[in-house]
Amino acid sequence: PGHDDYHSVLFHFNPRRQRGGQLVLNDKQEGTWGQAVSVPLSQVPMMFGKETGVTLIVQIHGDGFDVFVDQVHCARLEHRTQLPSEEGPLHLQFPSTDDSGNPENWSVYKVWWGRKPLMASSGNEVGNVAGVNVYNSVHPRKLFVSGLKRIKKTGPELEIRKAEFERAFRKYGGMHGVTVTAPTNSTFVFVEVENERQADLALQEMQSRFRLNRARRSKHEMLMEDRAKKKAAAEAKKSEWD
């Protein structure tokens, strides 16, 4: 409920043939895709080219969405949005194109929804399942601006876009301004401001001009921040002894 034409998605399941084949799980919050959980198709039961089809089971429980393909526990997408406390409708969408917009032909033989005993193992047995205990968090200073015109190549257009957003968000960047990341062939940019308070302020003041959300912080960013904190703490302790 409240998906706003799939602007928000609790659970996204996407087996892809491209790039060697990947099973991708993800979510989307107010137009912002999260950190994907990816599993090589070589590590899961065959899904493409089987004449008999496959059985896909998605179990929702307290930890997240568990994915089983032909009874094999392939991956988990841990909850990133609090589920509704009351009963409500479930919207299930079957897209008819791949990520590039090319038509895909496939058949759904049966859809069933109901209660079923948990199939996932407990304890250490699920430790090797993709997506279990994955770090996920919003970034305190980085904003995600979407809905922009696609720029396919690096060049003057991309530099102009970066300069436009540097000017638009300048006052939220402190003495050194903001940092703008504009990937090629995309319809979005990332804007990193001075601190969390400035990010909150930008969200309030710039919503009327841009489609704006907080960006997700990657696991690499989290590890780098933790490393910097530990280094600062060690240097502070050393200075106390000196």
Side-chain angles (χ1 to χ4, degrees):
H3 59 70
D4 188 20
D5 195 25
Y6 301 100
H7 194 51
S8 295
V9 177
L10 286 174
F11 174 77
H12 173 74
F13 174 88
N14 186 358
R16 302 173 179 174
R17 297 174 186 263
Q18 299 91 341
R19 299 175 184 175
Q22 295 279 327
L23 170 59
V24 178
L25 308 183
N26 210 340
D27 78 318
K28 184 163 67 169
Q29 297 181 24
E30 298 182 351
T32 305
W33 284 107
Q35 185 87 11
V37 174
S38 300
V39 186
L41 289 184
S42 59
Q43 297 180 13
V44 303
M46 181 182 291
M47 284 185 278
F48 293 107
K50 286 186 66 175
E51 295 182 1
T52 57
V54 298
T55 298
L56 168 66
I57 297 176
V58 179
Q59 286 199 314
I60 307 173
H61 52 82
D63 293 327
F65 299 83
D66 275 330
V67 176
F68 297 84
V69 177
D70 286 342
Q71 304 298 314
V72 176
H73 192 185
C74 299
R76 173 182 293 176
L77 183 72
E78 296 178 335
H79 291 306
R80 300 171 177 179
T81 303
Q82 185 174 357
L83 297 180
S85 58
E86 300 178 356
E87 293 186 1
L90 175 71
H91 295 265
L92 186 62
Q93 182 196 37
F94 294 95
S96 56
T97 62
D98 62 17
D99 291 342
S100 302
N102 302 312
E104 285 191 324
N105 297 319
W106 49 285
S107 301
V108 179
Y109 297 104
K110 182 180 179 182
V111 176
W112 178 84
W113 171 262
R115 296 185 179 276
K116 186 182 179 76
L118 290 179
M119 299 170 60
S121 303
S122 59
N124 295 330
E125 295 183 26
V126 297
N128 293 326
V129 174
V132 174
N133 296 326
V134 171
Y135 177 85
N136 182 69
S137 172
V138 294
H139 198 290
R141 303 182 307 279
K142 190 179 290 186
L143 303 172
F144 178 79
V145 187
S146 59
L148 307 176
K149 178 184 175 183
R150 187 182 299 277
I151 298 177
K152 294 185 177 181
K153 295 182 179 180
T154 302
E157 282 188 275
L158 202 62
E159 294 304 315
I160 291 172
R161 171 169 289 178
K162 289 176 65 176
E164 287 176 348
F165 280 93
E166 286 171 354
R167 286 194 299 270
F169 287 83
R170 174 68 182 85
K171 72 174 186 176
Y172 307 106
M175 292 179 57
H176 303 288
V178 298
T179 301
V180 177
T181 303
T184 56
N185 196 28
S186 66
T187 58
F188 59 87
V189 298
F190 293 101
V191 180
E192 188 165 348
V193 299
E194 182 182 22
N195 51 44
E196 189 170 2
R197 182 176 179 278
Q198 292 299 321
D200 290 337
L201 193 61
L203 283 168
Q204 295 175 13
E205 297 179 347
M206 304 296 278
Q207 285 283 4
S208 60
R209 294 181 57 185
F210 304 105
R211 179 178 286 181
L212 191 63
N213 296 283
R214 283 196 181 276
R216 298 291 182 87
R217 182 170 57 171
S218 69
K219 190 171 184 178
H220 174 72
E221 288 175 321
M222 180 272 292
L223 292 172
M224 294 299 291
E225 289 177 10
D226 283 352
R227 184 179 298 174
K229 288 179 182 178
K230 289 179 181 178
K231 183 178 180 181
E235 291 177 350
K237 189 174 181 180
K238 182 180 178 182
S239 63
E240 288 178 4
W241 284 100
D242 292 342

